Amino acid sequence: AAKADGKGIHRFYEREMHANADDRRLLEMDLRTVLNDGGLHLVYQPVVNAGDEKIVGFEALIRWNHPTRGYVRPDVFIPIAEEIGMIPQIGEWVIRTACTAAAQWPEHIRVAVNVSPIQFLSPALPGVVMGALATAQLPANRLELEITEGVFMNDDAATDAMFARLKAIGVRFALDDFGTGYSSLGYLKKAPFDKIKIDQSFVRGAAIPGNRNAAIVRAIVALATSLDMDTTAEGAETLDELELIRSLGCSHIQGYVFGRPMPGDEVLEKVKGTATLNPSGFLASRSPR
Ligand code: C2E
Ligand code: MG
Ligand code: MG
Ligand code: MG
């Protein structure tokens, strides 16, 4: 039937596109007031040391519980928020909320926050970061900003200046989703990253024999190590992936195999007395998902 009626298919796609445009306009309207509506919250996913499986930090991930649609995925609404100019406000809320949460954790545990490329070039960002650290009384080196290669598509001088201003405050930098961007690698020479996060598309399936991802992960680890950067493997789901990633030399691991993103009060329970947390106990208590 599809072949017989090309026009029908065309009309179908047209309708879909209009529906999406309407949908988008509604999402835009709701996003403009989301900070007053209280629909946002953060969840936190553990990052563990590959060696001893101790928690070294949590990545803060934003969640939007929409009054009628339920949860809207961040990779859907963050790009819209960027386009309508809401990212500075939402981003500030994320940084403040994450710093306040982390201030209640043991002091060796860091918090990582995602900063979108547009937010990264907002001249207000250093002030926002300093304000959030001061209010929460959080030392700057416990805050890690996760940035994607997308920031390097923007004006070089402004990007360099922003790195310098933030570095002077003392925060750490992680290069997120490494390997998925257009990456010329040239920026690795000068941008002050403390860590490369290997995208989950290279981690997943890496343990399947003959899969080329393992070779790619090994090469990224070698690159990071020679540049004196840590590596976090993102999205390890299975014990096979965990073992392989460990054998390839990644220094840190983040993925469902250790824990899904969890609400802040669950984090508090988990990190209470972390100094003596038994790593295999942590591994054993992980729910088999
Ligand atoms: P990301 O920063 O790369 O975050 C990692 C994503 O992978 C998260 O999805 C996390 O839940 C998911 N993940 C972690 N481990 C596993 C695993 O083992 N298996 C699978 N299948 N997934 C795993 P999430 O929370 O949906 O976030 C998606 C993206 O949205 C993030 O990617 C980040 O780019 C963006 N994002 C999230 N929160 C924020 C925020 O506060 N601000 C900004 N600007 N972007 C955010
Ligand atoms: Mg991230
Ligand atoms: Mg990532
Ligand atoms: Mg991502």
Side-chain angles (χ1 to χ4, degrees):
K3 251 187 197 158
D5 186 7
K7 272 184 185 162
I9 291 174
H10 180 69
R11 271 198 299 276
F12 170 76
Y13 282 128
E14 232 172 37
R15 261 206 314 276
E16 281 283 283
M17 280 164 61
H18 285 308
N20 286 339
D22 285 347
D23 226 45
R24 215 198 116 104
R25 267 194 297 277
L26 291 173
L27 278 182
E28 282 179 20
M29 272 172 40
D30 294 336
L31 268 177
R32 287 184 207 280
T33 58
V34 71
L35 284 168
N36 299 323
D37 300 343
L40 295 179
H41 65 273
L42 295 183
V43 288
Y44 303 88
Q45 186 179 28
V47 180
V48 309
N49 244 333
D52 61 11
E53 295 181 1
K54 284 194 175 160
I55 299 177
V56 297
F58 288 85
E59 178 178 4
L61 295 158
I62 198 168
R63 293 292 178 264
W64 181 17
N65 194 359
H66 188 279
T68 57
R69 295 161 192 256
Y71 281 96
V72 182
R73 296 166 49 122
D75 30 19
V76 170
F77 77 82
I78 293 288
I80 302 176
E82 285 188 327
E83 276 177 51
I84 64 172
M86 282 297 294
I87 265 299
Q89 293 97 301
I90 293 175
E92 173 165 3
W93 176 86
V94 170
I95 293 172
R96 289 189 166 275
T97 306
C99 287
T100 304
Q104 296 175 268
W105 305 342
E107 51 186 30
H108 64 282
I109 297 185
R110 296 195 165 94
V111 69
V113 166
N114 293 283
V115 174
S116 87
I118 287 179
Q119 185 186 1
F120 191 77
L121 285 184
S122 154
L125 183 60
V128 166
V129 168
M130 277 194 288
L133 292 169
T135 306
Q137 304 262 302
L138 188 74
N141 66 4
R142 288 184 58 197
L143 174 63
E144 188 164 79
L145 304 182
E146 297 198 358
I147 295 158
T148 61
E149 290 157 280
V151 299
F152 300 103
M153 301 214 316
N154 296 304
D155 176 44
D156 248 8
T159 305
D160 292 353
M162 184 55 74
F163 270 114
R165 288 176 71 194
L166 291 168
K167 193 74 200 169
I169 296 171
V171 297
R172 289 163 50 95
F173 294 102
L175 180 53
D176 205 358
D177 301 346
F178 184 75
T180 61
Y182 71 109
S183 70
S184 76
L185 295 188
Y187 58 83
L188 280 180
K189 286 188 296 194
K190 52 177 187 172
F193 291 108
D194 301 281
K195 165 191 281 187
I196 290 178
K197 298 191 79 176
I198 303 172
D199 190 70
Q200 30 187 297
S201 58
F202 301 114
V203 173
R204 203 103 75 251
I208 298 167
N211 188 294
R212 300 165 77 104
N213 284 346
I216 294 172
V217 172
R218 191 181 288 116
I220 298 174
V221 170
L223 175 69
T225 307
S226 64
L227 291 168
D228 207 20
M229 298 174 189
D230 288 340
T231 42
T232 297
E234 293 194 84
E237 290 186 349
T238 67
L239 286 174
D240 284 350
E241 283 162 6
L242 171 63
E243 283 323 312
L244 181 84
I245 288 301
R246 213 200 300 269
S247 76
L248 294 174
C250 286
S251 57
H252 298 91
I253 297 170
Q254 177 181 354
Y256 293 173
V257 68
F258 281 114
R260 296 200 173 223
M262 59 186 98
D265 45 2
E266 231 172 274
V267 173
L268 274 180
E269 275 167 38
K270 195 138 251 173
V271 298
K272 245 179 246 158
T274 303
T276 55
L277 180 75
N278 178 348
S280 49
F282 174 60
L283 185 58
S285 74
R286 146 187 73 80
S287 39
R289 274 182 288 213

